Amino acid sequence: MNALTQAAMRAIAPEIAVAAIPDDERVWVPQAPDVWFRPLLFNIASGGWCNLLRVRRSGVLSRHRHPMVVVGYVIKGRWRYLEHDWIAEEGSFVYEPPGEIHTLTVPDDCAEMITFFNIGGAMIYLDEQGRQIGYEDVWTKIEMCRNHYASCGLTADFAEQFIR
Ligand code: FE
């Protein structure tokens, strides 16, 4: 391997291979009451992230749109978007087109749902009139993780392992 190749190789961050559902409950970052996310990858080069979303309550979670593509895979439970008549259930793959507005809802008879999401760009939260009421991007997610891991004893540095 020549010096140039070695330099290029050093610039490539290592792979990530982790148990997606962690043994340590502290790895789940509280998002809202009975809602958590588990970070898997923070892509600060392209702006996006991969995580598991875990919800242990029913009802409307959020109305939102994404500027970029989102894909998901349901690991446990089920959920739907009010704007569509399909239900995402255990084993379902979901593609969300950029720009679509949808309202994530968990049915009453689902005690827990866990879904893997690969989110490009951002979550833009909207009210009923379509006005922006908040957003999340890779930087706000990293900040949430750092704050949670610092307060739960895993230390803020715990979030660094997911950044690429
Ligand atoms: Fe979405």
Side-chain angles (χ1 to χ4, degrees), residues 43-120:
N43 191 336
I44 60 172
S46 68
W49 68 100
C50 295
N51 67 194
L52 302 186
L53 178 67
R54 184 178 75 182
V55 182
R56 290 179 174 163
R57 68 174 174 82
S58 60
V60 169
L61 214 67
S62 73
R63 185 165 193 262
H64 63 265
R65 66 187 286 273
H66 314 274
M68 295 170 70
V69 167
V70 172
V71 294
Y73 178 80
V74 183
I75 294 170
K76 184 178 181 187
R78 61 194 172 283
W79 52 269
R80 60 184 295 252
Y81 285 129
L82 293 181
E83 293 79 2
H84 297 293
D85 55 12
W86 48 261
I87 294 176
E89 54 196 357
E90 197 169 307
S92 291
F93 170 80
V94 175
Y95 160 78
E96 306 183 6
E100 182 186 273
I101 295 172
H102 44 227
T103 309
L104 204 165
T105 308
V106 177
D108 288 340
D109 59 353
C110 180
E112 179 181 73
M113 81 84 155
I114 298 175
T115 300
F116 168 83
F117 281 112
N118 181 349
I119 298 162

Side-chain angles (χ1 to χ4, degrees), residues 8-27:
M9 292 290 284
R10 276 198 298 274
I12 299 171
E15 77 282 7
I16 299 174
V18 293
I21 296 177
D23 292 331
D24 189 337
E25 177 62 25
R26 297 176 300 174
V27 176

